Amino acid sequence: MATDEPNVSISGGVSKSTFAIGSHAHAESHHGTTPPRDQAAEELLAAVRELRADLTRVRASDETAALDAALADTEDEITRTGTSSPSRLDRLRQLLQDSQALVGLIASAGAVAGLLNI
């Protein structure tokens, strides 16, 4: 390394920090902010939360536990990223299709199913 080349020295903690190194580097930080969500994601998030609340009022089963876990994962993903992945939505669709009796019984399940085009 030549003596005229710049060097970088980082000591101590660098958590919640953003770095860009190089002549064309770009750094963008979103620490402490929530990602933007479109109207469809907002509607799905509200419906998912309502269905999770309603599931606490029905008899617990393996089926309701699996559905609640998928709903929790969906809620977490939308909250963190502003959207939900197609694979997660497919899993949720499958669980709702497998729970048709539940979907007919709980209006919020019908709302989530409708938003997923089931």
Side-chain angles (χ1 to χ4, degrees), residues 38-109:
D38 64 15
Q39 185 62 32
E42 286 290 345
E43 289 176 11
L44 181 58
L45 182 60
V48 162
R49 287 176 172 163
E50 186 174 344
L51 178 52
R52 288 195 72 209
D54 286 346
L55 282 177
T56 65
R57 297 186 257 296
V58 298
R59 184 180 313 188
S61 67
D62 291 342
E63 189 176 71
T64 59
L67 180 57
D68 184 58
L71 290 166
D73 290 344
T74 303
E75 180 179 357
D76 178 63
E77 186 174 39
I78 294 171
T79 302
R80 283 183 303 100
T81 68
T83 189
S84 192
S85 68
S87 62
R88 185 167 316 281
L89 295 178
D90 287 343
R91 172 74 175 136
L92 195 52
R93 276 187 197 95
Q94 185 61 50
L95 287 168
L96 285 168
Q97 287 173 338
D98 292 347
S99 306
Q100 283 302 311
L102 182 64
V103 171
L105 180 65
I106 300 176
S108 59

Side-chain angles (χ1 to χ4, degrees), residues 14-44:
V14 292
S15 65
K16 296 187 180 181
S17 299
T18 305
F19 298 93
I21 300 171
S23 62
H24 299 289
H26 171 78
E28 190 171 324
S29 178
H30 298 282
H31 302 292
T33 62
T34 53
R37 294 188 287 260
D38 64 15
Q39 185 62 32
E42 286 290 345
E43 289 176 11
L44 181 58

